[in-house]
Amino acid sequence: MAITNNDIAAIFNRVADLLELSGGNEFRVRAYRGAAMSVASFSQSLADIIISGQEIPKLAGIGKDLEGKIGEIVKTGKLAQLKELESQVPTDLIELTHLPGLGAKRVRLIFDKLGVKTIDALEKAARSEKIRAIRGLGEKTEKNILAEIEKRKGLQQNVKLIDAIKTAAPLVEYLKAVDGVMQVTVAGSYRRRKETVRDVDILVACSNAKTVMDVFAAYPQVKQILAKGLKKTTVVLESGLQVDVRAVSESSYGAALVYFTGSKEHNVAIRKIGVRKKIKLNEYGVFRGKRRIAGKTEEDVYATVDLPWIEPELREDRGEIDAATSGKLPHIIELDDIQGDLHAHTTTTDGRSSLEEMIEAAISRRYKYLAITEHTQHVTVANGLEPKAMRKRLAEIEKAGQKYKEITVLKGAEIDILSDGSLDLPEEILEELDIRVCAVHYKFNLTKEEQTSRILKAMENPWCQILAHPTGRQINIRSGYEVDLPAIFRAAAQHGVALECNAQPARLDLNDINLRAAKEVGAKFVISTDSHHTSELEFMQYGVWQARRGWLEKRDVLNSQSLKGLLSSLRKAPQAALSHK
DNA sequence: GCCGTTTTCGGCCCGACTGTTTTCAGTCG
């Protein structure tokens, strides 16, 4: 089993956790965590690079020592240093540090004094009031520990971006109505458009921070106040979502926006540039000595470290700072670039809007084209169409399409990839289609090798033009099938099969890192909503956000082209079939 | 453990809030 970058990152993170618990040098701990980040966000497989005998490229935060350790992990699957640490520090303690309010120091302290290693033992110790007896801890800390253990039992997952947006919208309006409030922006991972968010960070520019804190804490949906100060308040809403509100003056708004948008790693990276230039960046501004030299806008703040403004979706410290320094930031795609949708269902299969309703909804979005892609027969749960019914449906789509001058309706199908890699439609029907979207819908539990060869076989089929939702994952529901994605991406580039960025907010498949990895090997993409209702055409925005996080530009995305451009860029249908058309 | 436009040694981003203790350490983002 090949070692993935994520495996290496997990080992480094575990080393960091154990080093921290053993009281090791905090900067050394940080070095391991930084290395883990660096490895995890690197788009090529380090194992592949090493096994093929190439040099490991220079990665940020990885020096000679850690490079050697990556080699050791790839070659042996293990790290001797980790084994050594595991024999010295009880590994159970790592889980305790994940409890909010408990870090390595306190976990170690409680372990040393009471021998507590597990959550259960911790709960017992807290209930019998043994925690408060430890010098440096107290009654409040003990109660907080119990509260956190209780909360854990009804564990809150990261929420999907769409749910965070729905929750935040009324709260933003509520805060905007407060006297003295000038601007309200949801920052954090929400503004970076991550597929899920752990909490919602709201930045308020105002002249009366204390009032804003009081009014926010009194928001009717607040279930619990976790912290409340003069500038910052943290609450949990009834929905379980955590919300932070931070208030600053208008003159600091740009600096605060940079700080509060993150990511943390991006901020650290630009602050380090600041340190080299003898300036200090914080949420109030940029300072040279005591003198404030910027802070009102984000552009001003970036300019002090000689960087152009960087799109929030790129702020992950995954190379955007180097790109910005060298003037090579990508011109990432925008919603307005999208000219049509290539994946949509209707009431004939598992959709909830009629063909005409879907077409009219696409027209109202000013699309130039819309592909109707009903399921094929194997997907029985979605009322997939047998060849005969599919042929009838294609005729209906063609006829309906002729009624509309503003848009071209493409006859498509979402063709099931069967377990042997063949396509779920006979050639004579494949030939009638304008667009062929292929996807896996069952047998998720094949081995990685079986699943990979199944999908590769489908991609080698000359009729396969688009691979839809390539991993099959659903956010917070299932992780997707095991498949060799780098091999899929290479095949996509080689055969000219476009990879779908599925815009369903629960799919967003491919994800950001995979989109970028596929782009780097030369693959092309489509962004499609997989709509089952007219209202879902709006999901295009989510797909575009994910694509932006994956550094995709207009030229990478085929449905940003005119109909003519799209059709000439999609993989060509087999010549033999075309010749007798 | 990494890193270098004052450096190969001596730094390593920066501030808010909490709880504890009485001036600050720990945690978090």
Side-chain angles (χ1 to χ4, degrees), chain A residues 27 30-31 34 60-61 264-281 305 317 321:
Chain A
F27 298 108
R30 202 185 289 177
K264 187 182 164 190
E265 292 75 17
H266 175 89
N267 289 348
V268 168
I270 60 176
R271 282 173 178 174
K272 279 182 182 167
I273 299 176
V275 170
R276 286 207 297 274
K277 294 174 136 350
K278 298 242 182 279
I279 56 178
K280 183 175 73 170
L281 286 87
V305 283
D317 194 25
I321 292 174

Side-chain angles (χ1 to χ4, degrees), chain A residues 2 13 108 147 198 228 237 243 262 309 315 350 361 474 484 504 533:
Chain A
N13 271 324
R108 185 72 206 206
R198 201 171 58 80
K228 183 164 179 285
L237 300 182
V243 181
W309 182 81
R315 301 183 194 174
D350 60 345
Q474 287 193 23
D484 181 355
Q504 288 280 320
H533 185 267

Side-chain angles (χ1 to χ4, degrees), chain A residues 10 14 65 145 177 384 466:
Chain A
R14 196 169 166 82
D65 183 84
I145 287 172
I466 296 171

Side-chain angles (χ1 to χ4, degrees), chain A residues 452-560:
Chain A
T452 304
S453 71
R454 169 196 194 178
I455 296 174
L456 286 179
K457 185 179 166 201
M459 295 173 83
E460 283 157 13
N461 186 320
W463 292 107
C464 176
Q465 293 176 302
I466 296 171
L467 180 65
H469 39 76
T471 76
R473 68 97 173 246
Q474 287 193 23
I475 296 171
N476 289 349
I477 293 176
R478 64 175 189 228
S479 58
Y481 34 79
E482 289 283 315
V483 65
D484 181 355
L485 284 173
I488 301 292
F489 299 160
R490 286 192 298 271
Q494 184 191 342
H495 302 303
V497 176
L499 296 170
E500 182 183 83
C501 172
N502 188 293
Q504 288 280 320
R507 284 190 183 270
L508 296 174
D509 178 11
L510 297 169
N511 71 12
D512 49 1
I513 290 189
N514 287 328
L515 286 167
R516 192 163 164 203
K519 171 177 168 154
E520 283 176 5
V521 297
K524 292 294 176 194
F525 305 86
V526 300
I527 307 175
S528 303
T529 62
D530 196 354
S531 281
H532 289 69
H533 185 267
T534 53
S535 63
E536 295 184 2
L537 289 172
E538 289 176 17
F539 290 164
M540 186 58 77
Q541 174 70 84
Y542 291 84
V544 169
W545 280 332
Q546 185 79 305
R548 288 165 62 83
R549 290 182 54 81
W551 292 46
L552 297 197
E553 301 176 271
K554 186 178 175 190
R555 62 177 182 225
D556 299 313
V557 177
L558 302 186
N559 56 320
S560 69

Side-chain angles (χ1 to χ4, degrees), chain A residues 45 57 119 131 136 148 232 257 293 299 334 338 411 416 460 484 494 507 548:
Chain A
S45 160
I119 300 265
I131 302 289
E148 288 298 338
K232 180 181 163 186
L257 204 48
I293 58 172
E299 286 84 351
E334 293 179 23
I338 298 296
K411 291 175 294 181
D416 205 34
E460 283 157 13
D484 181 355
Q494 184 191 342
R507 284 190 183 270
R548 288 165 62 83

Side-chain angles (χ1 to χ4, degrees), chain A residues 98-316:
Chain A
H98 296 158
L99 218 53
L102 281 191
K105 294 237 166 58
R106 284 179 182 166
V107 166
R108 185 72 206 206
L109 179 65
I110 295 169
F111 172 69
D112 287 342
K113 297 285 181 195
L114 304 174
V116 163
K117 284 196 280 191
T118 64
I119 300 265
D120 282 350
L122 182 66
E123 185 172 4
K124 270 190 198 142
R127 288 205 189 284
S128 54
E129 305 189 348
K130 285 180 182 155
I131 302 289
R132 67 179 68 179
I134 300 173
R135 184 173 172 79
L137 305 177
E139 191 178 340
K140 278 268 180 69
T141 306
E142 186 175 88
K143 284 188 169 151
N144 286 342
I145 287 172
L146 283 173
E148 288 298 338
I149 291 173
E150 275 308 305
K151 232 197 294 182
R152 239 179 114 80
K153 292 174 181 168
L155 192 64
Q156 169 72 30
Q157 285 178 310
N158 282 0
V159 304
K160 292 195 289 284
L161 180 58
I162 189 171
D163 296 328
I165 286 175
K166 283 180 189 160
T167 305
L171 176 53
V172 167
E173 291 311 308
Y174 174 84
L175 291 170
K176 276 184 178 165
V178 179
D179 269 346
V181 167
M182 287 158 282
Q183 293 189 69
V184 179
T185 305
V186 184
S189 49
Y190 180 111
R191 184 166 178 241
R192 303 198 311 279
R193 307 302 180 183
K194 271 191 83 169
E195 60 193 31
T196 62
V197 302
R198 201 171 58 80
D199 56 15
V200 169
D201 303 306
I202 302 180
L203 183 65
V204 178
C206 62
S207 53
N208 51 343
K210 182 168 186 315
T211 311
V212 172
M213 294 298 111
D214 290 342
V215 174
F216 170 51
Y219 184 57
Q221 294 294 308
V222 169
K223 185 163 81 178
Q224 191 191 357
I225 298 172
L226 297 180
K228 183 164 179 285
L230 291 172
K231 299 170 174 182
K232 180 181 163 186
T233 294
T234 302
V235 308
V236 178
L237 300 182
E238 293 292 345
S239 65
L241 187 63
Q242 183 173 317
V243 181
D244 287 4
V245 169
R246 183 72 186 262
V248 296
S249 72
E250 208 171 21
S251 61
S252 296
Y253 203 64
L257 204 48
V258 170
Y259 160 76
F260 223 25
T261 297
S263 66
K264 187 182 164 190
E265 292 75 17
H266 175 89
N267 289 348
V268 168
I270 60 176
R271 282 173 178 174
K272 279 182 182 167
I273 299 176
V275 170
R276 286 207 297 274
K277 294 174 136 350
K278 298 242 182 279
I279 56 178
K280 183 175 73 170
L281 286 87
N282 62 27
E283 54 265 58
Y284 301 109
V286 183
F287 300 85
R288 176 168 282 125
K290 296 222 161 148
R291 196 165 63 90
R292 214 173 91 106
I293 58 172
K296 192 160 171 50
T297 70
E298 287 196 319
E299 286 84 351
D300 296 345
V301 172
Y302 279 107
T304 64
V305 283
D306 296 334
L307 293 175
W309 182 81
I310 296 174
E311 301 271 10
E313 290 93 332
L314 300 179
R315 301 183 194 174
E316 297 290 345

